[in-house]
Every structure is written in C-alpha cells, then in structure tokens.
C-alpha cells in the first residue's frame, strides 16, 4: 500500500464548478498535511496546509482533514481554466519541524472553459 | 518571503561528466533542505535530506556516491551528479524547510546525452 494515495485523474470540470480532490494516507501518526499545485514543467507551489481536523478556507480553496478516516481533501470553488494543473497531496512524516514530506502521485485537474 | 532559488535552471551534459546544482534560500536560513527528483508524469521522489554541517541522509535506493550533497551553510546546499548517464536525465527540485513548511526551488532540468 502506498503511503499517500491520490486518484491520478484527469479530473475534468467546467469553468465555475467546484473541483474536489481527494487523498488518503497510511501513517496514522501524521500531523501535517499539504496541498501543492504543479504546472507542467514547473516546481510545486504550496496552496494550503492543514494540521487539525475540520475545514480550512483560503479564498477559493478549502482543505478538509479527517484524521480518523486518514483522509484529506481540497475543494476549489469557482474553478478557472488557470487552475488546470496537477495537484499534489503531501503528508509530513514527523512534526512540522522534523520529518519529511511524502507525496501522492498527484491528480491532474482540467478546467474547461 | 521564503524564496528558494536553484542554479542552473537547465543543463545538458555528456555521459560520464559531473554536474553540480545549487539550491539557495534567499531570505531565510534553512537548517534542512531536501532534494527531489521527478521523472515525466511521475510524482516527486525524495532523494535525500540535507542538514547544514552534517552528512546528508539518503533515501533507500539512492546512491550516495553518485549523488553528492553538501550543505556547507544555512543558505546553500549543492547536489553533484557524478558520472552522469542518460538515465539520470530528470527534473531535480530542491526545497528548504522554514517555519514548518517546505518551500520549493524552481527546479533544474538535467539532460544527459
């Protein structure tokens, strides 16, 4: 079983819709969770971090964490064509100041005008 | 804040030669930096964790004698690919940890001919 799992997609949504990206992880002791956006040929860009159960909102983005289910998700409201990219879920194996990030394989999002 | 740079952004070298890639944290000090490799359509794979003033910690399967890492200061880590071969062609990305989050450099695309 992979440590961090994502559906590779592609996930296709129309412009203006809500895109829902999901991620599961295997290490129940994980404390820090991150969503990165990666455009083709570029390095990852941090979008959201979440550390406690529940929702965290930042603009059009909402991260959701459920530690009991070992599940983290990212919602993108009012999706725009510029949101088309690969979204990487990452889980930190230790505390926020130690450990290392384990990445999922990424979900490709396509937002169609 | 939290800007990480890499140099060069791309490099082409001949098989058997060595290539050095630099990773710098521009506006913060980073005790810990990380080196990743990403092949086309795959996720980021952690190669090693670089700690200032000490030896790097390599992930399983990564040859430490081939991928030399030096973290001589709090703002600079270098990765040297020794005796490069075509299979080493990849996108190499560094990151630096600051305030519990990892910030990524823009990446270096290495092509070995």
């Amino acid at each position: 079983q992979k440590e961090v799992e994502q559906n590779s997609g592609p996930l296709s949504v129309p412009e203006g819709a809500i895109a829902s990206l999901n991620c599961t992880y295997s290490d129940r002791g994980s404390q820090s969770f991150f969503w990165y956006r990666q455009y083709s040929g570029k390095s990852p860009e941090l979008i959201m971090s979440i550390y406690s159960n529940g929702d965290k909102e930042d603009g059009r983005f909402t991260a959701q964490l459920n530690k009991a289910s070992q599940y983290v998700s990212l919602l993108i409201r009012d999706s725009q064509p510029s949101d088309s990219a690969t979204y990487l879920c990452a889980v930190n194996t230790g505390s926020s100041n130690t450990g290392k990030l384990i990445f999922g394989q990424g979900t490709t999002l396509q937002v169609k005008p | 804040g939290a800007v990480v740079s890499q140099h060069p952004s791309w490099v082409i070298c001949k098989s058997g030669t060595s290539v050095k890639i630099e990773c710098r944290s521009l506006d913060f000090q980073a005790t810990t930096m990380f080196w990743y490799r990403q092949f086309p359509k795959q996720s980021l794979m952690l190669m090693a964790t670089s700690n200032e003033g000490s030896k790097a910690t390599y992930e399983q399967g990564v040859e430490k004698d081939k991928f030399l890492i030096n973290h001589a200061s709090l703002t600079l880590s270098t990765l040297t690919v020794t005796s490069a071969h075509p299979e080493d062609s990849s996108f190499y990305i560094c990151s630096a940890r600051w305030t519990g989050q990892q910030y990524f450099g823009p990446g270096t695309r290495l092509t070995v001919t």
Side-chain angles (χ1 to χ4, degrees):
Chain A
Q1 181 187 5
K2 292 183 180 178
E3 295 185 67
V4 180
E5 292 205 48
Q6 295 179 255
N7 188 322
S8 61
L11 172 66
S12 183
V13 300
E15 184 175 356
I18 296 175
S20 178
L21 305 163
N22 304 314
C23 172
T24 58
Y25 59 95
S26 60
D27 184 356
R28 187 172 288 278
S30 300
Q31 297 294 321
S32 309
F33 308 86
F34 305 89
W35 283 99
Y36 287 85
R37 177 175 62 197
Q38 187 176 26
Y39 292 111
S40 181
K42 303 294 185 180
S43 69
E45 172 192 10
L46 180 66
I47 297 177
M48 295 280 288
S49 59
I50 188 166
Y51 305 98
S52 54
N53 281 328
D55 295 359
K56 179 181 178 182
E57 186 175 321
D58 184 359
R60 295 187 296 113
F61 300 97
T62 299
Q64 299 174 319
L65 175 62
N66 184 326
K67 290 185 179 180
S69 300
Q70 296 173 240
Y71 175 93
V72 58
S73 65
L74 179 69
L75 300 177
I76 306 175
R77 289 181 299 281
D78 188 23
S79 295
Q80 301 297 309
S82 58
D83 295 326
S84 298
T86 296
Y87 289 81
L88 299 167
C89 172
V91 177
N92 196 57
T93 59
S95 70
S96 60
N97 289 317
T98 63
K100 55 190 179 185
L101 285 181
I102 304 298
F103 283 87
Q105 64 267 43
T107 298
T108 299
L109 173 66
Q110 298 174 345
V111 181
K112 300 195 172 181
Chain B
V3 179
V4 177
S5 70
Q6 275 185 249
H7 179 81
S9 55
W10 59 271
V11 57
I12 302 173
C13 71
K14 292 189 175 182
S15 186
T17 61
S18 295
V19 174
K20 179 185 283 189
I21 302 170
E22 294 185 349
C23 176
R24 293 181 185 273
S25 56
L26 299 185
D27 50 3
F28 64 99
Q29 294 183 328
T31 304
T32 304
M33 293 184 175
F34 303 87
W35 286 97
Y36 296 84
R37 180 167 53 180
Q38 186 176 37
F39 293 107
K41 299 192 183 301
Q42 294 186 23
S43 190
L44 279 74
M45 295 301 297
L46 180 64
M47 300 176 65
T49 302
S50 170
N51 297 296
E52 186 267 337
S54 64
K55 291 184 178 180
T57 302
Y58 290 82
E59 294 299 301
Q60 189 174 6
V62 177
E63 301 174 58
K64 61 180 181 181
D65 295 330
K66 181 172 181 62
F67 299 99
L68 302 179
I69 292 172
N70 185 289
H71 193 159
S73 78
L74 288 172
T75 59
L76 174 64
S77 176
T78 61
L79 168 68
T80 301
V81 183
T82 63
S83 186
H85 289 94
E87 58 266 29
D88 298 322
S89 298
S90 188
F91 191 41
Y92 291 85
I93 311 172
C94 74
S95 71
R97 180 156 54 206
W98 186 64
T99 62
Q101 296 182 351
Q102 284 193 31
Y103 296 89
F104 284 83
T108 297
R109 191 161 302 281
L110 170 64
T111 302
V112 184
T113 61

